[in-house]
Amino acid sequence: MTHARRSRLLPAAAGLSLCALARFAAAQPFPAEVPAEVPVLPPATSANPSAPDAGAPAPSAPGVPELTPPKLRRDVQPRYPEAAQREGLAAVVVLEIDIDAQGRVESARVVEPATPAGYGFDESALEAARLLQFEPAREGAQTVAVTLHYRFRFVPDVSPQARAQPVPPNTGDAEPRATPPTGQLWGTLRERGTRQPLSGVKVTVFRGEGTSAEGYETETDAEGRFHLEALGLGDWRVLADPDGYYPLRTTEKIAQGSRTDVAYSIERSSYNPYDVLVDAKRVRREVSQISIDARQAERIPGTFGDVLAVVQNFPGVARTGGFDPAGGGVVIRGSAPEDSRLFVDSVDVPLLYHFGNVRSVLPVGMIERVEFYPGNFSVEYGRATGGIIDVELKDIKPRKLGGYADINLFDSSIYLEAPITDELAIAVGGRRSYIDLVLGAALPDTGDTIVAPRYYDLQALASYRPSPAHQLQAFFFLSDDRFEVLFEEPIAAGAETVISDFGLAVNFYRGIVEYKYVPNDKFQSELEVSFGRDRQGLNFGQQLFNNTRLQQGQVRETARYQLSDAIALRGGVDYLFQRYRQEARLPELSQEGDGNDGNDLTESQLTNTAATYHSSAGFAELELRLWPDALLLPGVRVDHFSRTGESAVLPRFTARQQLDERWTLKGGIGLFAQEPTFDETAARVGNPRLGLERAVHYSAGFEYKPLPQVSLDVTGFYKTLHRLVSRSDGVISRAGEAQPLNFSNGGAGRVIGLELSARHELSDKFYGWASYTLSRAERRDARARAYRLFDLDQTHILTLIGSYRLPRNWEIGARFRYVTGNLYTPVTGALYDADADQYVGVDGPVNSGRANAFHQLDVRIDKRWVFEKWMLNAYLDVQNVYNRANADGVQYNYDFSESESQQGLPIIPVIGLRGEF
Amino acid sequence: MRIPSSTNATRLPWALCLALALGACDDLSDDQARFSELDRLRVLAVRSQPAALLLGEVATLSALSFEPQQRELQYTWSWCPSRRELAEGGACRIEEAELQRAWAALDTDRELPPYDLGSNREAHWTHVFGADVLQPLCAALSAGKQDAEQALLSCLLGLEVSVSLTVRSAEQEVTAVKRLVLLGEDRAAERNQNPAPTGELLVRDLAEDRLVEAGGALAPGHEYALSLALDEAVSETFLPSAPPGAATEASRRETLVLSWFATDGSFPGADGFGDGDGPIGGGGGERTTFVDGASDFGALLANQWRLPRTLDASESTLVLVLRDERGGVGWAEHRFAVGVSE
């Protein structure tokens, strides 16, 4: 069996903090109530950017199984040490308890000893802890071993006999003593700012000192309510001191025969969600996988709070920069952007960012985490030869209406979630940019009509859980980008091409319905049905345009069955239907490896395509645990693509071997395949006869965890790319007519690299990660013999990220990046095109020049104010703090006789405000 | 025109979008050389007369070149029957000997022009590629070749004949390439004429609000409104040929582009995008345009010219080059005396 990685549950969230109480004889203290149901904790998170440690979540199946903490089944009161009782001492002992999958306490140890020491508190607590029994923790339907912190609070016994004054000698005139009058204290305890009820929190009332001291204790219920009856009249001091919060200390006056109602809000000592880090044991499956929680990702400096921008910091991801409306082209381990796939809950989406690189299309409120697979990914993912980015949607389980509103330099966004019934919850969100309004006011009146870039996105999510075994989730989201310019005077792009206006519109929507069925701990199934449409419109006046429309529907079923303790089977089917239309008149578009061969507006061709395609896949994978601490994942995926008429059988294998608590070895090999892009197979301008592109991924490495909070991941990778689509000068005969081939599958590529990442998980105050990638990516064009560097080859990519939590809800973070400069093709001369009236640069060897290295420091400062019912977070995110003039390329004058570096973005400070309630 | 792209990984012509939208495709900072500035050896236009050739006709090839010191220039003319890839150096992909061999095998008494068209200021080229020789010529060129793509490609898309002119001064050299337009007999009626911007150029001093008389001097530091007198008929009406598969368009007037060059000063053009400091401009600037149905003919003929405050020369030259969308081109030159610098 794989050694179980323990989970860590903080008692505040678990609601299992118990106290060892001495007896109170005077009043009737309410027993420490153990809630019948402990609150559901946030799902496990992992802050490891490259390869989470063994305990970090690695959901290979879509969705994250819900983690249910253990429930106390048999309580055991510890013995109150006699020596301490004589002195009336109180103490707190915090233990770390390992609970196995059957709910038994395997071991316990002291993590916070009692103060004062030497009275036997620790020993008494350990003795009692070993006798506790629990309902085991569950991950989905499966019981799991966990580790939790358990607090014993020792309060000295104060008996009425000890308090009572001696009765004076009977003088015969003594009168019988009356029952003292009492009152009640009823209250609620909530978290300040979020208004979340705090359950399982000890509330203590006490007064007096020494031998006259008296006190009572109770615990809040699931709604944060508590009450104490039969309290003596007068002032009582109230104390509530749950872990992770500033203590509540106040005084209440109890009046005779009445009920005193109170409502308390206490503030968290830190609103960093990683105070409640749940690090349950999850199956680590992939060779290379990065999983990052949305709440962590949004605070990384330089990303302006945009969760999906964190992808740019992952090892193996090249820096593309710039303004690229082709859609968040992510270059992963030397693969072209179109070779990697973007998913939302395993449903294909065309882009992640508005205008390619500005802001992501999904706001943080809807995102639970981002999963990144740079290579050797599971058989459940396909139609890609590069990497996979899968955005996991939030599993909404709100207990009250909540949400946030965010305003910053670029846009404003809003998010709301609410429970409708116990089974049904909904969430909606939206964002709209206003840089068009800002520019409209700021730019001088040129006479040209400008609609500056503007974007918006909308989301709606509903989750229905009629029973623990069934969950239905529906999600709809859309994204729209638009940019238009109407020139007062037409622009002459040569005599043959004059442009009076320019317009760009990119929009898409997706609807996803998911049904999860987990009837027991052996079987789980997930069915997804999705539909959507992608549209792209581009025009330069009336002469040049490109309008594409893609409608698609997808059905996907994934199931897992635990055959035995050592063997599980996962498999599924995936069917994708696409209806594609394109009408375009455009010049020949630049391809990777074209050098400076830009878009020649004088040579445009009209294309008109309407076609229907479908691709289907079946996949199966075994999870084998044949010997201790090993995991073998042999699998196969079979894809069929109607556009190329080909099928591909793609076997893959991944293996992990945990050597001990600290070391894990891993490796994998697999075949991958994808279709060419639509324009590569378009009639007339492309080659409809193109075949699949293929790749073989090899990777191996190790994970090392020298300390509980420190992890190191080293992965070497190599991949070969075959049958790449590449320009061709060939000619082919179609229907008796000779036509240019345009493209062929004659290209090839190879990429080799090493990724190192080190991570320091959130300790009391600090979180940090460092990643470094060394790589070389090459391509060989169809009409060439030798390999050349890939356009986006970046030899060194270094990212350092750190975040430090200061007192009073201040947080500061920084990100430093160093990346090898971009390649460019130098121009060695120029010719004058007398028809186009412009000079054309004569290229040197493709990608033979390299710009200076890129480096940049980004800083982020957060400050949070916590009010009674809401919180305000202000942030300043400064990109490129020292205003480095990074070279993003080379630009030339009109005859290419002079050149200068094309500068990247300067310092950009962004201020934002977010109100949460 | 061709717009260099700074990244090649995109599917949309994004560099094209951005360049057009911001008018900054080749632009550099202000102290870099301007397209409109005549400060070095330039070839500003290459003309074929007639603009479009019928079979058997002889084209007279000439060029408008400029040398700041008016030094003697050497010319080298040549032609090539295949598409040239200018970014790869513009070399001809068909060897002359190979073409001659293929030509010799044809049953024709027409004489094939040599690649070398001489070193005079003007050259001559005869259109000999009739339909009767085209197909067998292409077949002959491709015969026996493993990768005969270059020759076949030029034949597939119609024969693309281009001429190359290299102009050399003592210190500099510029090579220009122009496509020759060859017409079939069935299209003789829509033959294009070379436009000529030879009308009177009116110059108005904006500061003093007065017309500069013919022969009058210009003042350094002043800005002048330019207006060219030109008949609208210079934009010929024609029936555009539709690309394969496209619907036939209606007849319309030619698009015209007027490029403005000067030995001194600049053409600020309209405010906003394209202030005239790059090869793309709008609303004045380095190029003015006429697009039938989209702009006024008058917008083609008007511009502004700003002279620098200090001028070493006593004379400034203004050169206008007028192009139509069918390969026709014409030019005119204007010289102005310049007064003493302020």
Side-chain angles (χ1 to χ4, degrees):
Chain A
M1 292 289 291
T2 302
H3 179 73
R5 160 81 179 167
R6 307 299 187 175
S7 69
R8 196 169 295 274
L9 302 168
L10 295 182
L16 288 174
S17 178
L18 299 181
C19 295
L21 301 176
R23 294 185 304 279
F24 294 97
Q28 291 188 5
F30 284 82
E33 296 179 69
V34 176
E37 279 191 10
V38 295
V40 177
L41 296 172
T45 61
S46 168
N48 187 333
S50 68
D53 54 43
S60 56
V64 176
E66 180 179 313
L67 178 67
T68 305
K71 302 176 192 175
L72 187 64
R73 194 166 57 191
R74 186 182 84 169
D75 186 16
V76 175
Q77 297 292 330
R79 174 185 51 80
Y80 194 92
E82 201 170 313
Q85 173 65 23
R86 281 195 296 272
E87 298 186 32
L89 295 174
V92 172
V93 179
V94 179
L95 305 180
E96 186 173 89
I97 299 177
D98 298 325
I99 304 171
D100 65 17
Q102 284 73 44
R104 296 183 299 252
V105 174
E106 285 190 340
S107 60
R109 52 204 157 271
V110 176
V111 293
E112 288 182 28
T115 304
Y119 284 88
F121 287 116
D122 296 348
E123 293 77 3
S124 179
L126 283 171
E127 191 180 313
R130 293 194 181 98
L131 299 176
L132 297 171
Q133 287 185 3
F134 295 86
E135 293 286 342
R138 288 181 179 277
E139 186 176 65
Q142 194 170 0
T143 60
V144 293
V146 294
T147 296
L148 56 77
H149 278 180
Y150 205 88
R151 177 181 294 233
F152 285 99
R153 188 178 304 216
F154 293 85
V155 177
D157 185 13
V158 181
S159 64
Q161 290 75 9
R163 282 206 317 266
Q165 295 301 314
V167 178
N170 191 344
T171 60
D173 295 326
E175 294 180 4
R177 195 176 285 275
T179 304
T182 61
Q184 302 173 15
L185 179 67
W186 289 69
T188 58
L189 186 64
R190 292 180 180 274
E191 181 178 287
R192 187 177 171 85
T194 66
R195 298 175 295 117
Q196 293 281 2
L198 298 176
S199 61
V201 177
K202 287 295 168 225
V203 177
T204 305
V205 298
F206 60 97
R207 63 183 179 182
E209 293 178 1
T211 56
S212 64
E214 61 175 322
Y216 305 93
E217 207 165 70
T218 185
E219 191 171 282
T220 56
D221 63 11
E223 299 305 315
R225 297 176 300 217
F226 67 92
H227 68 278
L228 290 157
E229 298 180 4
L231 292 177
L233 304 184
D235 291 339
W236 289 86
R237 285 148 69 180
V238 182
L239 169 68
D241 186 14
D243 284 327
Y245 290 83
Y246 291 110
L248 166 74
R249 293 191 177 90
T250 190
T251 301
E252 302 293 345
K253 193 177 187 69
I254 304 299
Q256 180 177 359
S258 72
R259 163 175 154 163
T260 301
D261 287 288
V262 295
Y264 300 131
S265 294
I266 56 174
E267 185 174 327
R268 292 178 72 98
S269 56
S270 165
Y271 283 86
N272 188 309
Y274 291 91
D275 273 350
V276 195
L277 179 67
V278 179
D279 192 11
K281 176 189 82 67
R282 289 181 185 267
V283 175
R284 252 317 254 123
R285 300 169 47 83
E286 310 292 346
V287 179
S288 295
Q289 177 194 350
I290 298 169
S291 179
I292 187 162
D293 186 275
R295 288 164 293 173
Q296 177 187 12
E298 69 168 328
R299 302 177 95 79
I300 290 178
T303 59
F304 305 137
D306 201 332
V307 169
L308 297 182
V310 74
V311 171
Q312 301 159 4
N313 302 299
F314 292 158
V317 176
R319 187 190 75 87
T320 50
F323 189 47
D324 173 15
V330 185
V331 177
I332 303 172
R333 285 186 178 173
S335 285
E338 62 268 23
D339 294 346
S340 296
R341 284 286 173 271
L342 312 173
F343 296 98
V344 173
D345 267 7
S346 301
V347 172
D348 202 322
V349 295
L351 49 88
L352 279 183
Y353 305 111
H354 292 290
F355 289 107
N357 230 332
V358 178
R359 299 278 277 166
S360 65
V361 298
L362 281 175
V364 62
M366 288 284 173
I367 301 173
E368 182 62 44
R369 87 179 73 250
V370 178
E371 301 283 355
F372 174 62
Y373 306 94
N376 277 118
F377 42 85
S378 161
V379 293
E380 66 175 287
Y381 293 110
R383 307 184 183 108
T385 58
I388 300 292
I389 298 171
D390 196 348
V391 180
E392 184 187 317
L393 293 175
K394 193 170 177 177
D395 191 14
I396 53 171
K397 292 187 287 285
R399 291 193 281 172
K400 60 170 183 60
L401 175 66
Y404 67 80
D406 187 304
I407 300 174
N408 59 61
L409 183 68
F410 297 119
D411 52 47
S412 289
S413 58
I414 186 168
Y415 171 79
L416 293 170
E417 61 178 30
I420 306 298
T421 66
D422 287 344
E423 293 88 20
L424 177 65
I426 62 169
V428 293
R431 166 163 44 199
R432 209 279 189 195
S433 69
Y434 36 69
I435 195 167
D436 51 331
L437 305 175
V438 171
L439 280 184
L443 287 178
D445 183 10
T446 65
D448 297 333
T449 302
I450 302 167
V451 177
R454 75 105 182 95
Y455 56 86
Y456 71 84
D457 51 68
L458 297 170
Q459 307 85 29
L461 176 64
S463 178
Y464 177 60
R465 284 190 195 78
S467 70
H470 303 272
Q471 181 185 356
L472 192 64
Q473 181 166 289
F475 180 60
F476 178 82
F477 71 114
L478 71 86
S479 164
D480 190 283
D481 302 346
R482 203 167 292 266
F483 179 32
E484 295 173 7
V485 182
L486 180 63
F487 302 114
E488 187 179 23
E489 296 290 341
I491 290 178
E496 296 155 14
T497 309
V498 180
I499 294 162
S500 56
D501 67 288
F502 159 71
L504 170 69
V506 178
N507 58 68
F508 78 94
Y509 70 78
R510 289 289 184 276
I512 305 171
V513 178
E514 293 180 28
Y515 169 61
K516 295 181 193 173
Y517 175 56
V518 185
N520 52 54
D521 59 0
K522 284 185 182 296
F523 178 78
Q524 63 187 48
S525 161
E526 183 164 323
L527 175 67
E528 277 182 321
V529 179
S530 70
F531 59 93
R533 189 199 68 197
D534 308 341
R535 284 179 64 178
Q536 224 175 50
L538 174 69
N539 77 283
F540 302 92
Q542 304 301 313
Q543 297 166 282
L544 301 174
F545 56 89
N546 180 29
N547 297 313
T548 65
R549 179 181 160 124
L550 175 68
Q551 293 173 299
Q552 69 176 48
Q554 187 172 7
V555 178
R556 180 183 167 88
E557 161 65 30
T558 310
R560 181 182 185 277
Y561 185 69
Q562 189 79 36
L563 293 165
S564 69
D565 284 347
I567 303 175
L569 175 65
R570 286 190 333 114
V573 293
D574 185 339
Y575 176 75
L576 177 66
F577 171 84
Q578 294 174 314
R579 181 179 296 158
Y580 178 73
R581 291 185 204 286
Q582 181 189 30
E583 189 181 40
R585 181 183 293 155
L586 280 179
E588 189 178 68
L589 300 182
S590 300
Q591 296 281 113
E592 191 277 329
D594 279 352
N596 296 319
D597 192 12
N599 315 116
D600 187 349
L601 297 184
T602 62
E603 297 188 12
S604 59
Q605 292 201 58
L606 183 70
T607 58
N608 207 321
T609 306
T612 300
Y613 306 114
H614 56 90
S615 67
S616 47
F619 52 91
E621 184 179 67
L622 286 172
E623 295 174 18
L624 303 175
R625 294 178 176 80
L626 302 178
W627 59 86
D629 302 330
L631 178 62
L632 307 177
L633 299 172
V636 66
R637 180 183 175 98
V638 179
D639 276 288
H640 174 76
F641 302 93
S642 71
R643 184 148 50 103
T644 59
E646 285 180 275
S647 296
V649 178
L650 306 168
R652 299 173 194 170
F653 178 74
T654 298
R656 296 180 60 87
Q657 175 68 58
Q658 185 166 350
L659 301 178
D660 56 31
E661 286 278 347
R662 297 184 177 183
W663 292 90
T664 301
L665 300 179
K666 56 185 182 176
I669 181 172
L671 301 188
F672 303 84
Q674 69 182 32
E675 296 174 286
T677 62
F678 286 113
D679 48 316
E680 287 170 343
T681 55
R684 194 175 302 282
V685 297
N687 178 2
R689 299 270 180 92
L690 285 175
L692 298 176
E693 296 182 320
R694 295 173 185 265
V696 183
H697 293 192
Y698 310 84
S699 57
F702 64 88
E703 297 162 13
Y704 176 55
K705 200 168 174 69
L707 297 170
Q709 289 166 329
V710 177
S711 58
L712 177 69
D713 187 301
V714 178
T715 303
F717 64 89
Y718 177 66
K719 59 183 178 184
T720 56
L721 311 173
H722 311 276
R723 299 182 55 75
L724 295 185
V725 175
S726 178
R727 283 208 192 279
S728 171
D729 296 328
V731 173
I732 194 170
S733 176
R734 293 195 187 106
E737 183 186 342
Q739 295 176 3
L741 201 57
N742 297 314
F743 298 110
S744 72
N745 281 107
R750 58 193 184 195
V751 187
I752 188 168
L754 181 70
E755 294 168 356
L756 289 84
S757 70
R759 189 154 129 174
H760 187 293
E761 296 178 29
L762 184 72
S763 59
D764 192 35
K765 292 180 171 44
F766 175 74
Y767 166 77
W769 111 43
S771 69
Y772 170 71
T773 304
L774 173 70
S775 71
R776 183 176 176 89
E778 297 178 331
R779 295 288 188 274
R780 191 190 68 226
D781 300 312
R783 49 189 182 184
R785 294 217 174 115
Y787 276 90
R788 56 160 175 86
L789 286 174
F790 173 56
D791 275 5
L792 288 161
D793 173 80
Q794 291 173 350
T795 311
H796 305 282
I797 305 172
L798 171 67
T799 304
L800 304 172
I801 293 174
S803 180
Y804 191 80
R805 207 168 65 229
L806 300 167
R808 305 309 302 173
N809 291 322
W810 284 91
E811 186 173 341
I812 185 166
R815 174 181 72 168
F816 176 75
R817 290 184 294 167
Y818 177 93
V819 184
T820 304
N822 290 337
L823 289 168
Y824 66 92
T825 299
V827 170
T828 58
L831 298 175
Y832 176 64
D833 185 334
D835 294 302
D837 190 23
Q838 69 166 13
Y839 285 79
V840 176
V842 178
D843 292 346
V846 173
N847 294 337
S848 56
R850 197 180 277 283
N852 292 335
F854 166 97
H855 57 85
Q856 177 172 301
L857 177 67
D858 311 314
V859 171
R860 181 181 170 106
I861 301 171
D862 286 81
K863 165 64 180 167
R864 186 185 292 259
W865 292 271
V866 181
F867 304 103
E868 189 68 26
K869 295 183 180 178
W870 67 292
M871 295 184 289
L872 178 67
N873 189 71
Y875 57 91
L876 171 66
D877 200 329
V878 183
Q879 194 175 83
N880 196 5
V881 166
Y882 52 83
N883 202 24
R884 158 91 172 164
N886 285 303
D888 261 348
V890 179
Q891 55 181 357
Y892 297 89
N893 70 331
Y894 72 91
D895 65 355
F896 297 89
S897 61
E898 298 160 27
S899 66
E900 65 180 18
S901 291
Q902 210 166 19
Q903 300 301 320
L905 294 174
I907 182 170
I908 302 177
V910 173
I911 294 177
L913 288 173
R914 170 180 290 189
E916 297 177 44
F917 69 100
Chain B
M1 76 167 288
R2 190 184 302 271
I3 297 177
S5 54
S6 54
T7 66
N8 293 324
T10 61
R11 286 280 160 231
L12 286 177
W14 183 240
L16 179 149
C17 302
L18 198 56
L20 285 172
L22 301 179
C25 105
D26 283 335
D27 189 21
L28 294 176
S29 52
D30 286 344
D31 59 356
Q32 303 293 339
R34 293 191 166 109
F35 180 79
S36 63
E37 193 171 355
L38 298 176
D39 62 346
R40 62 194 69 184
L41 176 64
R42 298 282 293 272
V43 174
L44 302 178
V46 176
R47 180 171 59 194
S48 163
Q49 182 60 42
L53 293 169
L54 297 174
L55 181 64
E57 286 188 331
V58 177
T60 300
L61 307 171
S62 59
L64 174 64
S65 52
F66 180 87
E67 209 289 326
Q69 275 95 47
Q70 298 178 348
R71 288 177 287 194
E72 189 177 336
L73 300 175
Q74 283 82 46
Y75 302 85
T76 305
W77 292 91
S78 66
W79 74 279
C80 174
S82 78
R83 178 194 300 269
R84 297 180 195 251
E85 290 296 338
L86 299 189
E88 295 177 11
C92 187
R93 296 182 179 185
I94 301 175
E95 298 285 339
E96 184 173 17
E98 186 180 356
L99 179 65
Q100 287 172 341
R101 275 196 299 275
W103 187 264
L106 300 176
D107 182 21
T108 178
D109 55 2
R110 294 186 213 123
E111 189 173 334
L112 183 71
Y115 275 17
D116 183 358
L117 298 178
S119 56
N120 297 324
R121 285 184 67 101
E122 289 186 350
H124 302 275
W125 185 85
T126 305
H127 177 10
V128 298
F129 296 97
D132 56 330
V133 301
L134 198 59
Q135 188 58 35
L137 178 65
C138 293
L141 285 171
S142 62
K145 273 195 174 174
Q146 194 171 7
D147 294 316
E149 299 90 7
Q150 315 316 332
L152 277 179
L153 206 58
S154 66
C155 285
L156 284 171
L157 302 178
L159 198 63
E160 181 167 311
V161 172
S162 60
V163 293
S164 166
L165 168 65
T166 300
V167 179
R168 294 184 188 82
S169 69
E171 296 165 351
Q172 295 176 297
E173 174 181 307
V174 176
T175 298
V177 175
K178 175 181 172 57
R179 288 191 302 272
L180 295 185
V181 179
L182 310 181
L183 293 180
E185 290 295 334
D186 58 335
R187 298 181 59 192
E190 51 183 81
R191 193 167 179 168
N192 186 32
Q193 304 296 322
N194 282 312
T198 50
E200 183 183 6
L201 182 67
L202 300 178
V203 182
R204 172 178 289 277
D205 189 320
L206 292 175
E208 298 174 7
D209 193 23
R210 64 172 179 84
L211 275 177
V212 175
E213 295 175 356
L218 305 180
H222 282 220
E223 193 159 319
Y224 296 90
L226 305 175
S227 179
L228 180 66
L230 202 60
D231 194 317
E232 289 202 29
V234 75
S235 173
E236 299 172 284
T237 299
F238 75 110
L239 181 67
S241 54
T248 305
E249 296 179 45
S251 293
R252 59 174 175 82
R253 294 167 65 188
E254 284 176 319
T255 295
L256 297 177
V257 177
L258 184 60
S259 301
W260 304 70
F261 302 92
T263 53
D264 304 283
S266 62
F267 305 95
D271 291 335
F273 295 147
D275 65 357
D277 287 338
I280 296 175
E286 297 169 340
R287 294 193 183 92
T288 52
T289 57
F290 165 68
V291 179
D292 189 16
S295 64
D296 292 335
F297 191 80
L300 174 73
L301 307 175
N303 209 340
Q304 287 181 347
W305 183 19
R306 182 185 297 153
L307 288 179
R309 292 189 181 280
T310 55
L311 272 176
D312 295 331
S314 58
E315 187 178 77
S316 277
T317 301
L318 198 63
V319 177
L320 307 180
V321 178
L322 182 63
R323 288 180 171 82
D324 63 32
E325 64 180 279
R326 295 188 286 169
V329 64
W331 53 77
E333 197 170 305
H334 302 268
R335 295 179 192 275
F336 300 90
V338 178
V340 176
S341 300
E342 295 175 352

